[in-house]
Amino acid sequence: MRRPLVAGNWKMFKKIAEAVEMVATLKPLVAGSTTVDIVVCPVFTSLHAVAQALKGSNIEVGAQNCYPKESGAYTGEVAPQMLLDAGCAWTIIGHSERREYFKENDEFLNEKLKYALATGLKVMFCIGETLAERQGGKMNEVLKRQLTGGLQGLTEADFGRMSIAYEPVWAIGTGLTATPDQAEEAHAFVRSVVRAQFGETVADALRIQYGGSVKPENAAELMAKPNVDGALVGGAALKADSFAAIVNAAG
Ligand code: PEP
């Protein structure tokens, strides 16, 4: 039985005071949750304050991105070591917005993933097809390419500290959600690719979160599917009550 993982990706929303206020409201709403791993991913500038505010709670903190170097002349970038220092336990890697707007490719994402895991961060690694790719019958091909390139060189121990987030690009921030059956089909395919490349034990233990317009109204139905092990939530994670409802629907 895989323990559900529900994470909120706050994207580029909330200043420090708003972020701290949000988690102060969230904490009591999910305090009773003992069967779900809960993560919030604020912007870089709020990470330390949010981590301080969440000390001793059942909510972990994640970043939305990182750079695969410890330090150096990399203007604008943040090292995984610095994220750990700020109080993060997690980072997201490979979000479709990073792939699209910042041209991050499978090779670079693989480098980031391996580096972040090696520093001690846990990682939510995002994959997903665009609408054109799905309509062109290329969904499986795209997912397989992202998995093969992105996960290259990982060990069994690495998989114990990461999840995969299946996020169909056409469902992110659009209000269009994959149906539970569409999500299940894609998740089962992702697991089969991981099984073929890394074996049964890794594939069976790996958590695969669904992301794409998850809301309190559809969360339970999506997460009831056998291969859907939680959610990565954007818009509905910005409000404490809707994020808490999704957490509570998971377990
Ligand atoms: C996301 O940004 O990862 C996401 C799934 O966004 P939304 O829930 O708003 O579609």
Side-chain angles (χ1 to χ4, degrees), residues 212-236:
S213 300
V214 176
K215 313 182 249 300
E217 300 77 49
N218 58 23
E221 217 189 342
L222 284 159
M223 291 188 283
K225 290 291 179 186
N227 281 293
V228 179
D229 310 309
L232 180 53
V233 187

Side-chain angles (χ1 to χ4, degrees), residues 9 11 95 97 167 171-174 211-214 232-236:
N9 170 18
K11 310 195 188 195
H95 192 280
E97 287 151 15
E167 299 205 307
I172 298 180
T174 58
S213 300
V214 176
L232 180 53
V233 187

